[in-house]
Amino acid sequence: MIADGERVYVITLTDGSLTHLPVWMTEATAAEPTTLTASPCVSVEALDALQRLLTVVLDPPVVDVEARGRR
């Protein structure tokens, strides 16, 4: 699946809700060592993507349990 222009896997969480896992996080190169820098630089696009991710993870949508039971 593609979400926000990025290939992702759709993951079902233990509570039944769905989330996205970027494909690159499952690739071997994601575990390669990184280097530290004294002056880190992050793009605005990367910060926007992080904000969207945190919003979904930390503030999941409320599920109407009564409506779910009527289906």
Side-chain angles (χ1 to χ4, degrees):
M1 173 178 195
I2 297 180
D4 292 328
E6 182 174 32
R7 289 180 36 217
V8 298
Y9 293 113
V10 177
I11 307 295
T12 303
L13 301 176
T14 55
D15 67 357
S17 63
L18 301 176
T19 191
H20 294 112
L21 176 67
V23 170
W24 68 265
M25 288 184 165
T26 66
E27 296 172 347
T29 56
E32 290 179 356
T34 59
T35 57
L36 298 178
T37 180
S39 300
C41 180
V42 179
S43 70
V44 172
E45 292 80 12
L47 292 174
D48 284 340
L50 177 59
Q51 181 182 25
R52 286 191 305 274
L53 174 65
L54 291 175
T55 298
V56 169
V57 171
L58 299 176
D59 191 19
V62 176
V63 176
D64 185 346
V65 176
E66 289 180 23
R68 180 182 267 181
R70 289 188 295 248
R71 291 184 194 173

